[in-house]
Amino acid sequence: MKTGMRLEEYTKALLEKRKAEVIAEQRNDALDTELTSPPGATSTEEIRLFNEYMEQANLFKIANALPEKKKSLMLKRFFKMKRKQQVVIQAKIGEENQQKNGKVSAVGRDFVMLTNLKDRYWLPYTSITSANIPSGIPVFSNSHQYYLYDNDLRKKLLRNFGETVSRRDVLIQQFYEESLLTNLRAWKETWVKVQTGKETFIGKIKDTIDQHIILHCFNAHHKILLKDVQVVTALRLVSLFAMFMDGSFRKQFDQRKTKE
């Protein structure tokens, strides 16, 4: 468009218009560039705090409305907040109360898995009486770990979600809430000790089907009802050798023959 103005006059007029313009406040919030609308009318830190409060308030409302599910809901929420952190659990196993210490490795809809330097435990929520953090351990509201943004993983999740998640145990725990039945199925061929209210079974996990855990120990096999399980402990070779030496396997076979 021709204005009939010289370059100097045009530049001067353009600068004057520029000074008169109202420049909107620029925000550096990354969410503004990714979402079509802001998550709320308040600041982002206030929205985040409110979301955490709302989640906890809803949890207590649901727990009060469903007293029979209150224990599992509270334990699941606590363990998710303490994922990858040290916890101490009091559990009733048989006729005695036992204490289990370890790092929260997996949180399911009806169980938690703890690991430490020596042992790995699967504890159903029904056998847990209380859970806390050890004294002297710093309190973290969330899992204290670093997250790396993986563009390649993002593409795989978008294009082939099911296959990508099924190949990595970490992603399975992130996207799904496993049950004790499905989690133990992923640990086939692992030697474990299963304790119920009255008996203790030692063997290798062969399968979990029809709400039962199937263990094989040499020529013997055991089919244990899942709802009776109070704790499952993974056994190392050293532990197996010690049990073999002190006669634990022989006692198990003798008890089975007596029942038959």
Side-chain angles (χ1 to χ4, degrees):
M1 184 178 66
K2 295 183 179 180
T3 60
M5 300 172 62
R6 293 183 176 274
L7 179 61
E8 296 83 1
E9 296 174 353
Y10 178 76
T11 305
K12 184 178 180 181
L14 191 63
L15 289 174
E16 289 178 356
K17 287 183 180 180
R18 179 64 178 171
K19 291 179 181 179
E21 287 181 358
V22 178
I23 301 176
E25 182 182 358
Q26 296 181 356
R27 298 180 62 184
N28 293 325
D29 195 345
L31 293 176
D32 293 341
T33 60
E34 297 177 1
L35 302 179
T36 57
S37 60
T42 58
S43 59
T44 53
E45 67 275 7
E46 185 175 348
I47 292 172
R48 182 173 291 274
L49 289 173
F50 177 75
N51 287 339
E52 292 180 1
Y53 163 75
M54 183 172 61
E55 185 178 354
Q56 294 181 7
N58 289 338
L59 176 63
F60 281 101
K61 289 285 186 181
I62 296 172
N64 291 331
L66 301 170
E68 68 278 4
K69 295 185 178 181
K70 180 177 181 179
K71 180 179 179 180
S72 61
L73 288 172
M74 294 296 178
L75 287 172
K76 183 166 62 174
R77 174 61 179 167
F78 173 77
F79 290 129
K80 283 187 175 181
M81 292 176 61
K82 301 302 175 186
R83 195 188 296 270
K84 305 300 181 183
Q85 300 180 34
Q86 291 288 334
V87 296
V88 54
I89 291 177
Q90 299 292 336
K92 187 173 183 180
I93 300 171
E95 297 298 328
E96 59 182 21
N97 290 322
Q98 296 185 15
Q99 178 174 300
K100 303 294 185 183
N101 298 302
K103 186 181 293 184
V104 178
S105 296
V107 182
R109 69 183 72 151
D110 58 354
F111 79 101
V112 63
M113 183 171 71
L114 302 184
T115 56
N116 53 39
L117 294 176
K118 298 189 300 180
D119 301 304
R120 182 186 302 272
Y121 303 104
W122 288 265
L123 288 159
Y125 294 150
T126 52
S127 63
I128 298 175
T129 56
S130 66
N132 204 349
I133 58 174
S135 58
I137 299 295
V139 178
F140 297 93
S141 58
N142 295 311
S143 301
H144 55 291
Q145 54 185 339
Y146 295 98
Y147 294 92
L148 297 177
Y149 192 81
D150 190 344
N151 285 313
D152 183 58
L153 177 60
R154 177 176 176 272
K155 291 179 182 178
K156 289 180 179 178
L157 290 173
L158 290 173
R159 298 175 180 176
N160 199 354
F161 180 83
E163 184 179 352
T164 303
V165 173
S166 62
R167 288 181 176 179
R168 298 178 60 176
D169 190 53
V170 176
L171 294 177
I172 292 175
Q173 296 175 23
Q174 184 174 354
F175 288 102
Y176 301 104
E177 284 187 353
E178 287 188 293
S179 65
L180 181 59
L181 189 75
T182 56
N183 187 271
L184 288 175
R185 189 176 298 161
W187 291 86
K188 289 182 180 180
E189 305 300 323
T190 301
W191 282 90
V192 295
K193 179 173 70 174
V194 179
Q195 293 176 261
T196 62
K198 298 179 180 179
E199 298 180 274
T200 300
F201 301 93
I202 300 171
K204 186 185 295 185
I205 298 177
K206 281 298 179 183
D207 202 358
T208 55
I209 189 171
D210 296 333
Q211 299 301 315
H212 285 80
I213 303 174
I214 300 174
L215 301 182
H216 282 199
C217 182
F218 301 114
N219 294 326
H221 68 276
H222 307 282
K223 192 174 183 180
I224 309 162
L225 190 61
L226 192 67
K227 68 178 184 179
D228 295 335
V229 174
Q230 295 182 342
V231 63
V232 180
T233 307
L235 298 176
R236 299 184 301 167
L237 292 176
V238 177
S239 303
L240 286 171
F241 182 74
M243 290 180 179
F244 184 80
M245 295 301 294
D246 65 12
S248 297
F249 286 110
R250 184 174 298 176
K251 292 177 184 178
Q252 180 172 298
F253 294 144
D254 293 341
Q255 290 175 358
R256 185 172 180 271
K257 289 180 180 179
T258 303
K259 289 182 180 179
E260 292 177 351

